[in-house]
Amino acid sequence: GENVEQHPSTLSVQEGDSAVIKCTYSDSASNYFPWYKQELGKRPQLIIDIRSNVGEKKDQRIAVTLNKTAKHFSLHITETQPEDSAVYFCAARGGKLIFGQGTELSVKP
Amino acid sequence: ETGVTQTPRHLVMGMTNKKSLKCEQHLGHNAMYWYKQSAKKPLELMFVYSLEERVENNSVPSRFSPECPNSSHLFLHLHTLQPEDSALYLCASSQDWPGRGALFSTDTQYFGPGTRLTVL
């Protein structure tokens, strides 16, 4: 069946460093790839998304890249701050939205 | 933060109880979703409603029964649950349900705060 693999499951970085989270998907018909951030005890919130007609999208310190040939996409966070600490979920939509397993990012001051 | 609301926020129930979770969206969206979020697992899509019609039912046990009386409200009726059903249940909504292959659809999903369910 359709699935999305997300790595790593945990990531610890020093404040100011960059963080990269990678996802691969299986459904070649997938055309929409959102990323959600879920802080402890809170709801998932969309932070950035990309559609299959573009290869890269940037919003301040956050960027997402998409490689449709390889069926993988990545989230890049630059100049990380302690408030970036959260669980990040990628997702891919072909017929339905399938979520990755999540990455717990910890930014140490 | 008030776009999608859920009640109750916490629920403890026995295996023989019947309870209902409620979701309400104030965004004028046409599609609503129920997800289950268990520890260390991906978000699991349970049900999708588009224009009050169920369009997805992902092999969810019959002890979970959804209801969508109108495009703003979504319920999840619970009966004879098992301890392994304990989880965070999240509701979400999106402008539309895109269906397969729709490239430019407005399907960004907005989540509610969730109901933390504990089954004893």
Side-chain angles (χ1 to χ4, degrees):
Chain A
E2 303 153 357
N3 73 298
V4 175
E5 294 288 333
Q6 182 172 347
H7 298 281
S9 56
T10 60
L11 179 59
S12 181
V13 300
Q14 287 295 131
E15 182 177 1
D17 288 351
S18 295
V20 181
I21 302 171
K22 299 181 179 181
C23 290
T24 59
Y25 59 97
S26 60
D27 185 356
S28 57
S30 297
N31 55 27
Y32 173 61
F33 308 89
W35 286 88
Y36 285 85
K37 174 184 180 182
Q38 187 175 26
E39 296 177 50
L40 189 63
K42 296 191 175 180
R43 72 189 77 191
Q45 292 200 301
L46 181 74
I47 54 171
I48 194 168
D49 58 14
I50 191 168
R51 298 189 188 269
S52 58
N53 56 333
V54 297
E56 185 173 356
K57 184 176 179 180
K58 191 172 181 180
D59 182 4
Q60 299 182 342
R61 297 186 296 108
I62 295 173
V64 58
T65 58
L66 172 64
N67 183 328
K68 284 210 73 177
T69 303
K71 292 196 282 188
H72 67 70
F73 56 113
S74 301
L75 178 72
H76 305 253
I77 306 174
T78 57
E79 300 171 31
T80 53
Q81 300 166 5
E83 51 264 38
D84 294 329
S85 297
V87 178
Y88 291 80
F89 293 95
C90 65
R93 179 180 66 76
K96 60 186 177 184
L97 199 63
I98 306 293
F99 284 85
Q101 298 90 336
T103 296
E104 186 174 357
L105 174 64
S106 176
V107 180
K108 299 184 186 305
Chain B
E1 290 291 339
T2 59
V4 182
T5 58
Q6 288 185 244
T7 54
R9 295 293 307 275
H10 300 271
L11 178 62
V12 179
M13 59 187 290
M15 290 191 284
T16 57
N17 291 158
K18 289 185 180 181
K19 297 286 183 183
S20 295
L21 310 185
K22 179 183 177 182
C23 176
E24 185 173 1
Q25 57 94 2
H26 311 269
L27 302 168
H29 288 170
N30 295 317
M32 297 186 76
Y33 310 77
W34 279 117
Y35 286 90
K36 177 183 179 182
Q37 186 175 34
S38 304
K40 308 296 183 185
K41 288 187 178 180
L43 282 161
E44 300 173 55
L45 180 64
M46 300 174 72
F47 302 104
V48 182
Y49 277 81
S50 174
L51 298 171
E52 301 141 50
E53 178 184 349
R54 191 189 308 180
V55 294
E56 283 276 345
N57 180 352
N58 286 344
S59 302
V60 179
S62 59
R63 57 185 183 268
F64 295 91
S65 175
E67 179 189 2
C68 187
N70 55 63
S71 59
S72 299
H73 293 86
L74 185 65
F75 294 89
L76 188 62
H77 303 299
L78 317 171
H79 64 97
T80 59
L81 294 192
Q82 304 298 312
E84 59 264 31
D85 297 322
S86 298
L88 180 68
Y89 288 84
L90 288 160
C91 173
S93 72
S94 65
Q95 182 64 56
D96 295 301
W97 167 246
R100 192 168 185 85
L103 182 61
F104 296 109
S105 57
T106 51
D107 56 347
T108 300
Q109 293 185 22
Y110 297 87
F111 285 86
T115 295
R116 174 68 62 187
L117 174 66
T118 302
V119 182
L120 300 177

